[in-house]
């Protein structure tokens, strides 16, 4: 079958090169709102979403992420917007990581649907477990005890994405 949504799901690719221009507030809010419609366990809406566009803060988050990775690069590919997703400690709420991951997935697909590029950027768990990360979560006005689940780089694509790999053999099976 085919329709607009299915095409968007097939065609979304990770974007690793961004134009410096900032996206519009309308575009950002569209992506964030799509995140809020992700299903969450028990409907508890456990995740917390923080969009960052402040240049100093972008630099700091990029540096913190690169430090976890042990590399001197910008892991966010120069994107003008980052979207960070946090959730409860899994020891407190076992579904926080799947909940947050679905929020991130919704936002990536929504970004693609409106012509934006995005990429999941890893290492949030580690970077927000440091003293600096915990202090930053407080600065961002988040409640205590959350963990970093994942982040997105977000912006206008500056280059075509990599071609997708073919889907692996036997990815799914049907048992009737
Ligand atoms: C949990 C997770 C972590 C990822 N971390 C990174 C990352 O740190 N940096 C990056 O460039 N891409 C990252 N990606 C993007 C994947 O590399 C990408 O989704 C995969 O290669 C498939 O490509 P596509 O998204 O274009 O279909 C991550 C994706 C997921 C789901």
């Amino acid at each position: 079958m085919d329709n607009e949504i299915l095409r968007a799901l097939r065609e979304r690719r990770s974007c690793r090169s961004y134009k410096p221009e900032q996206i519009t507030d309308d575009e950002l809010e569209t992506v964030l709102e799509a995140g809020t419609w992700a299903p969450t366990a028990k409907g508890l809406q456990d995740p917390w979403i923080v969009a960052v566009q402040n240049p100093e803060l972008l630099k700091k988050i990029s540096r913190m992420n690169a430090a976890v990775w042990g590399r001197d690069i910008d892991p966010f590919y120069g994107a003008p917007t980052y979207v960070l997703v946090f959730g409860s400690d899994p020891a407190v709420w076992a579904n926080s990581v799947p909940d947050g991951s679905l929020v991130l997935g919704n936002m990536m697909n929504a970004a693609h649907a409106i012509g934006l590029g995005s990429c999941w950027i890893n290492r949030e768990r580690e970077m927000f477990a440091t003293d600096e990360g915990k202090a930053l979560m407080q600065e961002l006005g988040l409640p205590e005890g959350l963990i970093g689940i994942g982040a997105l780089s977000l912006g206008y694509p500056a280059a075509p994405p990599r071609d997708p790999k073919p889907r692996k053999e036997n990815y799914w099976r049907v048992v009737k």
Side-chain angles (χ1 to χ4, degrees):
M1 294 174 75
D2 199 18
N3 66 30
E4 224 181 330
I5 294 174
L6 293 171
R7 268 196 301 283
L9 291 175
R10 288 184 194 115
E11 290 170 3
R12 179 216 54 80
R13 296 275 76 79
S14 294
C15 174
R16 296 188 175 89
S17 176
Y18 295 91
K19 293 184 181 165
E21 298 106 87
Q22 189 53 275
I23 61 173
T24 66
D25 288 350
D26 209 20
E27 288 168 330
L28 176 61
E29 282 161 24
T30 298
V31 169
L32 299 176
E33 196 223 347
T36 71
W37 289 107
T40 57
K42 282 194 169 176
L44 285 179
Q45 302 179 38
D46 181 72
W48 295 76
I49 307 169
V50 180
V52 178
Q53 295 187 320
N54 173 288
E56 288 312 307
L57 198 48
L58 292 176
K59 266 192 226 148
K60 176 172 171 164
I61 291 167
S62 171
R63 173 186 54 72
M64 287 168 63
N65 191 298
V68 172
W69 203 2
R71 297 183 65 178
D72 187 19
I73 56 162
D74 172 18
F76 291 83
Y77 305 108
T81 298
Y82 304 167
V83 183
L84 314 172
V85 174
F86 302 87
S88 296
D89 187 323
V92 175
W93 179 234
N95 294 299
S96 63
V97 174
D99 282 352
S101 301
L102 286 171
V103 167
L104 285 152
N106 261 26
M107 292 194 292
M108 287 190 281
N109 286 314
H112 174 67
I114 59 169
L116 300 179
S118 72
C119 186
W120 180 314
I121 308 300
N122 237 339
R123 296 168 290 281
E124 272 57 39
R125 181 100 186 235
E126 297 90 330
M127 64 185 269
F128 286 103
T130 61
D131 288 344
E132 190 180 22
K134 285 180 194 159
L136 179 54
M137 281 200 281
Q138 215 171 12
E139 248 179 73
L140 297 172
L142 295 167
E144 288 216 357
L146 300 186
I147 61 157
I149 291 176
L152 299 183
S153 53
L154 187 66
Y156 300 124
R162 296 178 195 158
D163 284 338
K165 290 184 193 159
R167 301 301 86 182
K168 70 178 181 185
E169 294 266 332
N170 301 322
Y171 212 145
W172 48 265
R173 65 202 61 205
V174 179
V175 180
K176 288 193 182 180

